[in-house]
Amino acid sequence: MDEELVMLSALNHYMYCPRRCALIHIEQIWTENIFTAEGKIMHERVHGTGQEKRRNVRVEFGVPLRSLRLGLIGKADAVEFHKRGNMWHPFPVEYKRGKPKQDNSDKVQLCAQALCLEEMMNVEIPKGALFYGKTRRRQDVEFDRDLRIETEETSKKLHQLIASGRTVKPDYSEKCKSCSLVHLCLPKTCSRKESASRYLINTALGE
């Protein structure tokens, strides 16, 4: 069953750029740049922390997540458990290296983590938080009806993309400049009917 599940992080990839998502999760193409390397280091530090406990808050790091309903699997950077009465209430926290984005990609990824926790623990989670390394601040996120719908719809579109086995055609924009895959994606030159991996093979063969 787990082999049919898609990584939670793919939701963020899809919202940033469906073609980038396809290159990573269909064509299995990946490369690092300074931004992805910094993000990787931050997540490794967080996941390696283990556990913290304060008065009425217990923090678990690198918490495994899964939702059979959404077909998602992955890890939460951190889940805070806030004690109220005799109950511990989960509060997911996702760490990002940069600053808050204009789109909802980070919020959708965080909401998906909450939906996984709700399914796994049979609880309701109203809020979580995003921590941004560049600003060193937390941003609380409310899991309202609109964000939950957007998260579920994005999950459906993600599964449809991966099931199709087809890489989305390139669509060059300003954000391509900061993408770690821009030199493999070739958004300005790659044929709209050809996969990036096939283009690179043909180029190497001189075709």
Side-chain angles (χ1 to χ4, degrees):
M1 176 65 73
D2 282 2
E3 61 271 14
E4 299 176 2
L5 305 180
V6 178
M7 293 299 297
L8 275 160
S9 57
L11 292 169
N12 202 306
H13 295 154
Y14 181 89
M15 293 192 70
Y16 182 85
C17 171
R19 178 171 172 82
R20 173 182 167 84
C21 181
L23 290 173
I24 295 171
H25 298 280
I26 295 177
E27 298 196 35
Q28 302 295 305
I29 293 176
W30 176 253
T31 187
E32 296 276 10
N33 66 6
I34 187 171
F35 304 117
T36 59
E38 288 177 352
K40 183 177 180 181
I41 291 170
M42 172 181 276
H43 283 85
E44 287 176 347
R45 286 176 178 170
V46 172
H47 291 177
T49 304
Q51 185 185 85
E52 291 181 1
K53 191 170 184 180
R54 300 187 290 273
R55 187 173 180 181
N56 289 316
V57 179
R58 188 180 80 247
V59 187
E60 301 281 351
F61 297 93
V63 179
L65 300 175
R66 186 176 73 169
S67 170
L68 297 180
R69 182 174 69 86
L70 297 179
L72 298 172
I73 194 169
K75 283 186 177 181
D77 284 340
V79 179
E80 298 177 353
F81 291 88
H82 297 247
K83 189 174 184 180
R84 294 195 289 271
N86 295 323
M87 299 291 293
W88 292 90
H89 298 266
F91 183 95
V93 181
E94 175 71 9
Y95 288 71
K96 298 294 182 182
R97 61 155 295 280
K99 59 184 180 180
K101 297 183 176 69
Q102 293 183 347
D103 63 27
N104 275 352
S105 55
D106 291 344
K107 293 179 180 179
V108 162
Q109 183 178 355
L110 181 67
C111 184
Q113 294 178 9
L115 293 175
C116 288
L117 287 168
E118 288 183 342
E119 182 176 324
M120 293 166 61
M121 303 179 67
N122 193 28
V123 295
E124 183 176 346
I125 303 174
K127 290 182 180 180
L130 294 163
F131 176 86
Y132 288 96
K134 196 163 187 177
T135 61
R136 305 299 298 176
R137 291 184 178 180
R138 273 172 54 147
Q139 174 184 328
D140 283 353
V141 177
E142 182 179 351
F143 304 131
D144 58 20
R145 181 176 179 274
D146 288 343
L147 183 57
R148 288 170 180 267
I149 290 174
E150 183 177 9
T151 301
E152 296 196 12
E153 289 300 316
T154 302
S155 178
K156 290 177 184 177
K157 292 176 183 177
L158 170 63
H159 280 280
Q160 290 169 356
L161 172 68
I162 293 178
S164 74
R166 300 177 62 183
T167 299
V168 181
K169 65 183 181 181
D171 183 17
Y172 183 79
S173 67
E174 280 298 308
K175 64 184 177 183
C176 293
K177 296 178 181 179
S178 60
C179 177
S180 64
L181 300 183
V182 64
H183 298 301
L184 298 174
C185 172
L186 304 169
K188 287 185 175 181
T189 59
C190 187
S191 166
R192 290 173 176 259
K193 296 182 179 179
E194 186 173 44
S195 73
S197 56
R198 174 50 56 187
Y199 178 90
L200 292 170
I201 291 171
N202 289 342
T203 301
L205 295 175
E207 296 181 2

